[in-house]
Amino acid sequence: MVKSVEQISSAAKNYAEALIMIGEEGLVPFDKLASDLGIINDAINDSADLREVFTNPSFTEETKASIVESIFDGKVDSHLVNFLKILISKNRINEFGGIYADFVEKLNVIHNIQPVKIVSAIELDDNYKNNIVNKLSSKISKTIQPEWCVDKDIIAGLKIKINDDVIDMSLKNRIDKLSKSLMLR
């Protein structure tokens, strides 16, 4: 489960910073780090059994490390397998979701990438999507990483969410505003 930035502990942020340093030092390229951390995050999120092993104190540190090796050895960089073992030894493996979320955020800053959620009432064609992304990118001077969603409830128009800011250009929003202004009269 990806955590919001407010929910990320300072310990998780410190571990994420250590991962950034691994990339900056060239031990593991950033794209490989991001890909492998995504694999690990998906595996943890998709397996209730794995989460149970990591959180259950009846499993020894050695057993947990052995399980990490059997699952991830050869599938992700060895630095990350060792990183997971460190998290296990420090009893911080439960922080992995926060570490991953903070790492992604830090990496986006380094690469000048801005994740943006764009909601429309209908599925948009690729040409229209590219036009929206290009306009947003030029406005905020960042590379846009769009997440496209369809929500028929907005009736028409778009809703754009950048971090905590929402630009609501939907017909539903306009109708709601008109309705409120008519009630005040």
Side-chain angles (χ1 to χ4, degrees):
M1 177 168 111
V2 176
K3 297 182 177 189
S4 70
V5 178
E6 298 82 35
Q7 297 172 320
I8 299 173
S9 72
S10 59
K13 290 179 181 186
N14 290 337
Y15 283 110
E17 186 60 39
L19 290 169
I20 291 294
M21 289 170 56
I22 288 172
E24 287 174 340
E25 292 172 4
L27 296 172
V28 182
F30 279 125
D31 59 340
K32 175 79 170 141
L33 271 173
S35 172
D36 287 359
L37 288 169
I39 289 169
I40 295 166
N41 192 59
D42 289 346
I44 292 170
N45 285 337
D46 293 345
S47 175
D49 291 339
L50 186 56
R51 287 191 308 274
E52 171 64 24
V53 166
F54 286 157
T55 57
N56 190 330
S58 65
F59 288 96
T60 66
E61 180 181 320
E62 292 78 21
T63 301
K64 291 175 185 181
S66 174
I67 290 170
V68 161
E69 278 185 9
S70 68
I71 294 173
F72 298 113
D73 201 28
K75 292 184 179 83
V76 300
D77 190 274
S78 60
H79 288 91
L80 293 178
V81 173
N82 290 335
F83 178 76
L84 291 173
K85 290 178 184 177
I86 290 168
L87 292 179
I88 289 168
S89 72
K90 302 289 184 188
N91 203 22
R92 294 286 188 176
I93 193 70
N94 60 327
E95 299 268 0
F96 188 83
I99 294 167
Y100 178 66
D102 197 57
F103 171 83
V104 168
E105 185 165 310
K106 287 175 179 2
L107 192 60
N108 284 344
V109 170
I110 290 169
H111 290 121
N112 200 33
I113 295 172
Q114 178 62 59
V116 176
K117 183 174 183 177
I118 304 169
V119 181
S120 62
I122 59 170
E123 184 65 40
L124 304 174
D125 67 37
D126 289 341
N127 191 32
Y128 197 65
K129 286 179 177 180
N130 288 334
N131 191 18
I132 292 168
V133 167
N134 290 337
K135 284 183 180 181
L136 282 172
S137 183
S138 68
K139 281 223 184 265
I140 65 173
S141 301
K142 292 187 178 196
T143 301
I144 299 298
Q145 185 179 56
E147 175 190 342
W148 300 96
C149 299
V150 174
D151 180 359
K152 294 180 192 309
D153 290 341
I154 69 170
I155 305 170
L158 295 173
K159 240 172 135 172
I160 301 171
K161 184 173 186 210
I162 303 172
N163 296 327
D164 292 333
D165 298 324
V166 177
I167 303 165
D168 194 341
M169 302 173 291
S170 68
L171 184 55
K172 181 182 182 333
N173 183 49
R174 291 179 185 173
I175 291 170
D176 289 346
K177 284 182 180 178
L178 179 61
S179 175
K180 287 178 185 174
S181 82
L182 289 173
M183 293 175 119
L184 296 175
R185 292 183 184 187

